[in-house]
Amino acid sequence: MRGVRAATRPESVLHEAAERGRVSFATRRRRLRMGLRSVLQTAVSAALAWYLAKLVLGHPAPLFAAIAAIIVSSTSLGQQRRRATELALGVAVGIFIADLLVRGIGTGGWQIAVLVVLAMCMALLVGGGPELVTEAGVSAILLATVQVPDGGVSPDRFLDALMGGAVSLLVNAFLFPVDPILIVARASQPVFLDLGASLDATARGLERGHVEEARAGLERARALDDQIESLHAAIAIGRDTARLAPSRWRAHSQLLLYDDAVHQLDRAVRNTRVLARAAVEYVRDGKQAPEALVVAVRELSEAVRELASQLEEPGRASAAGETAWRAARRATALLEGQPADLNTNMLVGQVRSTAVDLMRGAGIEPTAAQRAVDENTAEHKARDSEPEDGAHAGS
């Protein structure tokens, strides 16, 4: 038996290695497909920048035009214009320092260190960001080693950098424009998923009386701040892309829907956080949550998912606003006819506030959303103030 195991073990190891190799190769192919567009964009930008600098500016070897195009193309979407500006300024600072000092101190290891320190310090003094500071140091090294200046200060390399950055921006806008809706949709998915999951966990904690379940909902809501910030940034990137790329101008209207919704989502996240914290305290006190309250919180989660679908397909009918209003109505009914403790009042209040945020995110006017919830409350208060049939009979 031991011999059989020893004989079969190498085969199984080879089989597992082959499987891992196939998976790894498939993963590499997928990464290549995903990155091929960026590779082509960078290559086209570098080539065009080189040729245009030669034709328009008359530079025989416009190295910095191609380098600038590659660096700007490699920036994250939405940062390219700022990066191009800082790149050009960084190159200018590096050129100035190198042209000024190389002829006096020569080239070598310690000279490169001196040039980098001076160029980066100069960039910091003029208030440059990380890109400007880094590029100033890189430009100083390139000029001191690749293209040692043989005359006075020349604007040629600075103009090459401007040409490369401009070409990269134009190639990105006209030849390889990204889909701004896809950018925003990808950034919004984690927000909707985690917000819905937070509300689901809060509902489970209330239903089962589990503090850990309720706390999981709170932690999930607390972790949403960074994702909301990423969504804001994605919307800004998308709108910037839609303005620059003529083929993406039609995305403006849908981006406006996302822009309006994300502000309400931000408020919904904050209210969900307060709701989840109140749920933790409620369960910790050993209270049994009414079924209607659990259902109302779950309806908020359902409204979140419906809102996500509504934004992805603006023309499709959505029940997000109605579902959120139903959650507010169900929670408000808990206060009907009986005094509620402070924690229950807080839970009901946060369900109502979150519902208003989701209704507004679904496109309902702010005053209409608040009025719908307030009228619901007034309806229940009026019902509570009506005398019972026996009271009418005795009067």
Side-chain angles (χ1 to χ4, degrees):
M1 181 66 69
R2 185 178 302 171
V4 173
R5 288 179 180 173
T8 57
R9 186 176 301 166
E11 294 180 4
S12 64
V13 170
L14 288 174
H15 178 72
E16 291 177 5
E19 289 295 324
R20 285 197 298 269
R22 278 193 288 270
V23 172
S24 178
F25 182 68
T27 301
R28 287 193 291 268
R29 285 177 56 190
R30 185 168 60 252
R31 289 175 180 171
L32 178 59
R33 284 198 306 269
M34 293 175 62
L36 188 58
R37 178 186 172 279
S38 296
V39 171
L40 291 175
Q41 175 188 338
T42 302
V44 171
S45 298
L48 283 177
W50 173 279
Y51 283 116
L52 285 175
K54 289 189 70 173
L55 292 174
V56 177
L57 303 177
H59 299 165
L63 175 66
F64 276 94
I67 291 174
I70 291 173
I71 293 175
V72 175
S73 295
S74 68
T75 58
S76 60
L77 295 169
Q79 296 179 336
Q80 289 183 325
R81 286 188 293 179
R82 178 181 60 81
R83 182 70 178 267
T85 302
E86 292 208 350
L87 168 67
L89 292 175
V91 170
V93 172
I95 287 171
F96 175 77
I97 296 296
D99 280 345
L100 196 64
L101 297 179
V102 165
R103 285 173 295 145
I105 64 176
T107 60
W110 70 267
Q111 289 94 337
I112 287 176
V114 171
L115 290 173
V116 169
V117 168
L118 291 176
M120 296 182 78
C121 286
M122 181 69 72
L124 287 171
L125 285 175
V126 299
E131 289 85 2
L132 191 155
V133 174
T134 301
E135 189 55 39
V138 172
S139 299
I141 293 175
L142 287 173
L143 280 167
T145 57
V146 179
Q147 287 189 340
V148 179
D150 53 3
V153 177
S154 170
D156 290 353
R157 288 169 285 257
F158 173 66
L159 294 176
D160 286 345
L162 289 179
M163 176 69 75
V167 167
S168 180
L169 289 172
L170 291 174
V171 167
N172 178 67
F174 290 95
L175 298 182
F176 295 90
V178 296
D179 186 352
I181 300 300
L182 183 60
I183 296 172
V184 175
R186 285 176 176 172
S188 67
Q189 285 176 359
V191 176
F192 286 114
L193 287 174
D194 285 351
L195 180 56
S198 172
L199 290 164
D200 284 334
T202 301
R204 286 195 302 271
L206 289 169
E207 181 181 35
R208 302 171 184 175
H210 289 176
V211 176
E212 291 306 317
E213 288 271 16
R215 187 176 288 117
L218 176 58
E219 294 303 320
R220 201 95 182 231
R222 283 173 173 170
L224 275 165
D225 285 342
D226 290 341
Q227 295 175 7
I228 287 288
E229 287 300 319
S230 297
L231 180 53
H232 277 293
I235 291 173
I237 292 169
R239 297 183 69 174
D240 196 33
T241 303
R243 279 194 298 268
L244 288 173
S247 61
R248 303 299 185 186
W249 286 346
R250 290 179 297 178
H252 275 296
S253 58
Q254 191 170 351
L255 288 171
L256 286 175
L257 294 177
Y258 270 104
D259 195 22
D260 292 339
V262 71
H263 293 289
Q264 304 309 319
L265 272 179
D266 195 359
R267 293 186 175 93
V269 166
R270 297 177 190 177
N271 280 316
T272 297
R273 198 153 43 224
V274 178
L275 171 63
R277 190 180 301 115
V280 171
E281 296 298 327
Y282 191 91
V283 174
R284 185 179 291 154
D285 290 343
K287 297 175 182 176
Q288 181 63 43
E291 181 182 359
L293 182 59
V294 175
V295 174
V297 177
R298 284 197 174 122
E299 285 175 330
L300 290 178
S301 178
E302 182 182 350
V304 169
R305 288 187 287 270
E306 290 171 346
L307 178 57
S309 299
Q310 175 181 330
L311 291 173
E312 289 177 3
E313 303 178 49
R316 190 178 68 86
S318 172
E322 183 180 348
T323 303
W325 176 80
R326 191 167 62 244
R329 181 180 182 182
R330 193 183 304 277
T332 303
L334 291 172
L335 306 179
E336 183 180 347
Q338 56 182 356
D341 58 88
L342 181 60
N343 283 340
T344 302
N345 272 314
M346 179 174 291
L347 285 168
V348 170
Q350 289 310 124
V351 168
R352 287 162 47 84
S353 297
T354 308
V356 170
D357 296 331
L358 295 175
M359 291 168 69
R360 293 175 63 179
I364 300 175
E365 289 295 326
T367 54
Q370 189 64 55
R371 185 166 56 247
V373 174
D374 291 343
E375 287 176 354
N376 180 34
T377 305
E379 177 185 341
H380 285 289
K381 286 182 177 179
R383 193 180 304 160
D384 292 343
S385 64
E386 290 179 359
E388 299 180 356
D389 293 340
H392 281 292
S395 58

